[in-house]
Amino acid sequence: MIRVLIADDHPVVRQGLRTFLEIQEDISVVGEAADGAEAVEMTGALAPDVLLLDLKMPVLDGLGALAELSGRDVRVIVLTSVSDRGDVAPAMRAGAAGFLYKDVDPGALVQAIRAVYGGQVLLAPEAAEAMLAGPADREHDGAGSALTDREREVLRLLAAGRSNREIARELAVAEKTVKTHVSNVLMKLGVQDRTQAALYAVRHGLA
């Protein structure tokens, strides 16, 4: 059962989300927060697996809540009506695992919750375009600057969900070579697995 916390300052939105999500067999809505500060407090108290977080809320906005939640064991999906393309990168850098807009199809939202809970990074098409259209933050990508061009290419494909075999086929190299590149990428980025590497790539404009 995936435990979900909803954070939005509009009661109608919260109720609508709860009504739809609670008919899913594998999802349980554990609470509702009306502002960012309450979302942070309830995350600590209720230990949800996934937090649906609006960006524009009183007391503490979504980006502020993300900062407060840094290091917590919760996967955050930003679910916002804000269309400003500039919100995507800051939210992903602050720790969001997903970025969707409120006009998302209900079924797609459920799939997104399951995917993010499973460790994937998920962006709405418009949000992904905003990430790709924005300048890559190379001077601020930290450990990413230590990657070779080939390692960056492997990281890009890894972030796209490709397996080692698929990466090897696309780059026309041996699968053993890809494994070596992946190991080097994980070591240089200081991450433990492919999922964390993919999230790093998205947050830093490398994917």
Short mmCIF file of all heavy atoms in Angstrom, two decimals, residues 79-109:
data_model
loop_
_atom_site.label_atom_id
_atom_site.label_comp_id
_atom_site.label_asym_id
_atom_site.label_seq_id
_atom_site.Cartn_x
_atom_site.Cartn_y
_atom_site.Cartn_z
N LEU A 79 2.68 18.96 -7.79
CA LEU A 79 1.44 18.95 -8.56
C LEU A 79 0.88 20.36 -8.52
O LEU A 79 0.31 20.78 -7.51
CB LEU A 79 0.45 17.95 -7.95
CG LEU A 79 -0.86 17.74 -8.72
CD1 LEU A 79 -0.60 17.17 -10.11
CD2 LEU A 79 -1.79 16.81 -7.94
N THR A 80 1.08 21.10 -9.59
CA THR A 80 0.81 22.52 -9.54
C THR A 80 0.03 23.00 -10.75
O THR A 80 0.06 22.37 -11.81
CB THR A 80 2.14 23.31 -9.43
OG1 THR A 80 1.87 24.71 -9.37
CG2 THR A 80 3.04 23.04 -10.63
N SER A 81 -0.65 24.11 -10.60
CA SER A 81 -1.35 24.74 -11.72
C SER A 81 -0.49 25.85 -12.31
O SER A 81 -0.85 26.48 -13.29
CB SER A 81 -2.69 25.32 -11.27
OG SER A 81 -2.49 26.27 -10.24
N VAL A 82 0.66 26.08 -11.72
CA VAL A 82 1.56 27.14 -12.19
C VAL A 82 2.23 26.69 -13.48
O VAL A 82 2.81 25.61 -13.55
CB VAL A 82 2.63 27.45 -11.12
CG1 VAL A 82 3.56 28.53 -11.62
CG2 VAL A 82 1.96 27.88 -9.83
N SER A 83 2.15 27.53 -14.51
CA SER A 83 2.73 27.16 -15.80
C SER A 83 4.09 27.80 -16.04
O SER A 83 4.67 27.63 -17.11
CB SER A 83 1.77 27.55 -16.94
OG SER A 83 1.51 28.94 -16.91
N ASP A 84 4.61 28.50 -15.08
CA ASP A 84 5.91 29.15 -15.23
C ASP A 84 6.99 28.09 -15.42
O ASP A 84 7.26 27.28 -14.53
CB ASP A 84 6.21 30.00 -13.99
CG ASP A 84 7.52 30.76 -14.13
OD1 ASP A 84 8.16 30.67 -15.19
OD2 ASP A 84 7.91 31.42 -13.16
N ARG A 85 7.64 28.09 -16.56
CA ARG A 85 8.67 27.10 -16.86
C ARG A 85 9.84 27.20 -15.90
O ARG A 85 10.57 26.23 -15.69
CB ARG A 85 9.15 27.29 -18.30
CG ARG A 85 8.07 27.02 -19.33
CD ARG A 85 8.47 27.60 -20.67
NE ARG A 85 9.59 26.90 -21.28
CZ ARG A 85 9.46 25.86 -22.09
NH1 ARG A 85 8.27 25.39 -22.36
NH2 ARG A 85 10.51 25.30 -22.62
N GLY A 86 10.01 28.36 -15.29
CA GLY A 86 11.13 28.54 -14.38
C GLY A 86 11.00 27.79 -13.06
O GLY A 86 11.96 27.70 -12.30
N ASP A 87 9.82 27.24 -12.78
CA ASP A 87 9.61 26.53 -11.52
C ASP A 87 10.17 25.10 -11.55
O ASP A 87 10.40 24.51 -10.50
CB ASP A 87 8.11 26.44 -11.19
CG ASP A 87 7.55 27.78 -10.75
OD1 ASP A 87 8.30 28.57 -10.16
OD2 ASP A 87 6.36 28.03 -11.00
N VAL A 88 10.34 24.54 -12.73
CA VAL A 88 10.68 23.13 -12.83
C VAL A 88 12.06 22.83 -12.26
O VAL A 88 12.21 22.00 -11.36
CB VAL A 88 10.60 22.64 -14.29
CG1 VAL A 88 10.87 21.15 -14.35
CG2 VAL A 88 9.24 22.95 -14.89
N ALA A 89 13.08 23.49 -12.80
CA ALA A 89 14.45 23.20 -12.36
C ALA A 89 14.66 23.44 -10.87
O ALA A 89 15.25 22.60 -10.18
CB ALA A 89 15.45 24.02 -13.19
N PRO A 90 14.19 24.58 -10.31
CA PRO A 90 14.36 24.78 -8.87
C PRO A 90 13.71 23.68 -8.04
O PRO A 90 14.26 23.25 -7.03
CB PRO A 90 13.70 26.13 -8.61
CG PRO A 90 13.80 26.86 -9.91
CD PRO A 90 13.62 25.79 -10.95
N ALA A 91 12.54 23.23 -8.47
CA ALA A 91 11.84 22.18 -7.72
C ALA A 91 12.61 20.86 -7.77
O ALA A 91 12.75 20.18 -6.76
CB ALA A 91 10.42 21.99 -8.27
N MET A 92 13.13 20.52 -8.94
CA MET A 92 13.87 19.27 -9.07
C MET A 92 15.18 19.34 -8.30
O MET A 92 15.58 18.37 -7.64
CB MET A 92 14.13 18.95 -10.54
CG MET A 92 12.86 18.76 -11.38
SD MET A 92 11.71 17.53 -10.71
CE MET A 92 12.63 16.02 -10.99
N ARG A 93 15.83 20.49 -8.33
CA ARG A 93 17.08 20.63 -7.57
C ARG A 93 16.81 20.57 -6.07
O ARG A 93 17.67 20.13 -5.30
CB ARG A 93 17.76 21.96 -7.91
CG ARG A 93 18.35 22.04 -9.31
CD ARG A 93 19.31 23.21 -9.43
NE ARG A 93 19.70 23.43 -10.81
CZ ARG A 93 19.20 24.37 -11.59
NH1 ARG A 93 18.29 25.20 -11.12
NH2 ARG A 93 19.60 24.50 -12.84
N ALA A 94 15.63 21.02 -5.67
CA ALA A 94 15.30 21.04 -4.24
C ALA A 94 14.92 19.66 -3.72
O ALA A 94 14.72 19.49 -2.52
CB ALA A 94 14.18 22.03 -3.97
N GLY A 95 14.78 18.69 -4.61
CA GLY A 95 14.52 17.34 -4.15
C GLY A 95 13.27 16.66 -4.68
O GLY A 95 12.99 15.52 -4.31
N ALA A 96 12.50 17.34 -5.53
CA ALA A 96 11.30 16.70 -6.07
C ALA A 96 11.68 15.51 -6.94
O ALA A 96 12.70 15.53 -7.63
CB ALA A 96 10.48 17.70 -6.89
N ALA A 97 10.86 14.47 -6.90
CA ALA A 97 11.08 13.30 -7.74
C ALA A 97 10.15 13.31 -8.95
O ALA A 97 10.27 12.48 -9.84
CB ALA A 97 10.85 12.02 -6.94
N GLY A 98 9.22 14.26 -8.97
CA GLY A 98 8.29 14.37 -10.09
C GLY A 98 7.74 15.78 -10.18
O GLY A 98 7.71 16.51 -9.18
N PHE A 99 7.29 16.16 -11.37
CA PHE A 99 6.72 17.49 -11.58
C PHE A 99 5.58 17.35 -12.58
O PHE A 99 5.79 17.04 -13.74
CB PHE A 99 7.78 18.46 -12.11
CG PHE A 99 7.39 19.91 -12.01
CD1 PHE A 99 7.96 20.74 -11.04
CD2 PHE A 99 6.46 20.47 -12.88
CE1 PHE A 99 7.60 22.08 -10.95
CE2 PHE A 99 6.09 21.80 -12.79
CZ PHE A 99 6.67 22.61 -11.83
N LEU A 100 4.34 17.54 -12.09
CA LEU A 100 3.15 17.42 -12.92
C LEU A 100 2.26 18.65 -12.77
O LEU A 100 2.37 19.38 -11.78
CB LEU A 100 2.35 16.18 -12.51
CG LEU A 100 3.05 14.82 -12.60
CD1 LEU A 100 2.16 13.74 -12.00
CD2 LEU A 100 3.41 14.49 -14.03
N TYR A 101 1.40 18.84 -13.75
CA TYR A 101 0.43 19.93 -13.67
C TYR A 101 -0.95 19.38 -13.31
O TYR A 101 -1.24 18.20 -13.55
CB TYR A 101 0.39 20.70 -15.00
CG TYR A 101 1.70 21.38 -15.30
CD1 TYR A 101 2.56 20.89 -16.27
CD2 TYR A 101 2.10 22.50 -14.57
CE1 TYR A 101 3.79 21.50 -16.53
CE2 TYR A 101 3.32 23.12 -14.82
CZ TYR A 101 4.15 22.61 -15.80
OH TYR A 101 5.36 23.21 -16.05
N LYS A 102 -1.78 20.22 -12.74
CA LYS A 102 -3.06 19.75 -12.22
C LYS A 102 -4.05 19.33 -13.30
O LYS A 102 -5.07 18.72 -12.98
CB LYS A 102 -3.69 20.84 -11.33
CG LYS A 102 -2.96 21.01 -10.01
CD LYS A 102 -3.59 22.08 -9.14
CE LYS A 102 -2.85 22.24 -7.82
NZ LYS A 102 -3.36 23.33 -6.99
N ASP A 103 -3.74 19.61 -14.55
CA ASP A 103 -4.61 19.14 -15.62
C ASP A 103 -4.23 17.73 -16.09
O ASP A 103 -4.74 17.23 -17.08
CB ASP A 103 -4.61 20.10 -16.81
CG ASP A 103 -3.22 20.26 -17.43
OD1 ASP A 103 -2.25 19.67 -16.91
OD2 ASP A 103 -3.11 20.98 -18.44
N VAL A 104 -3.34 17.08 -15.33
CA VAL A 104 -2.93 15.72 -15.67
C VAL A 104 -4.13 14.78 -15.62
O VAL A 104 -5.04 14.93 -14.80
CB VAL A 104 -1.82 15.23 -14.69
CG1 VAL A 104 -2.34 15.14 -13.26
CG2 VAL A 104 -1.27 13.88 -15.12
N ASP A 105 -4.15 13.82 -16.53
CA ASP A 105 -5.21 12.82 -16.52
C ASP A 105 -5.15 12.03 -15.21
O ASP A 105 -4.06 11.66 -14.76
CB ASP A 105 -5.01 11.87 -17.71
CG ASP A 105 -6.05 10.77 -17.75
OD1 ASP A 105 -7.16 11.04 -18.20
OD2 ASP A 105 -5.73 9.64 -17.31
N PRO A 106 -6.29 11.80 -14.56
CA PRO A 106 -6.28 11.09 -13.27
C PRO A 106 -5.54 9.76 -13.31
O PRO A 106 -4.80 9.41 -12.39
CB PRO A 106 -7.77 10.90 -12.96
CG PRO A 106 -8.43 12.05 -13.65
CD PRO A 106 -7.66 12.25 -14.91
N GLY A 107 -5.76 9.01 -14.38
CA GLY A 107 -5.07 7.73 -14.50
C GLY A 107 -3.57 7.90 -14.59
O GLY A 107 -2.80 7.11 -14.03
N ALA A 108 -3.14 8.96 -15.29
CA ALA A 108 -1.71 9.24 -15.41
C ALA A 108 -1.12 9.64 -14.06
O ALA A 108 0.04 9.32 -13.75
CB ALA A 108 -1.47 10.34 -16.44
N LEU A 109 -1.90 10.34 -13.25
CA LEU A 109 -1.43 10.72 -11.92
C LEU A 109 -1.20 9.49 -11.06
O LEU A 109 -0.19 9.38 -10.35
CB LEU A 109 -2.45 11.65 -11.25
CG LEU A 109 -2.13 12.02 -9.79
CD1 LEU A 109 -0.79 12.73 -9.68
CD2 LEU A 109 -3.25 12.89 -9.21
#
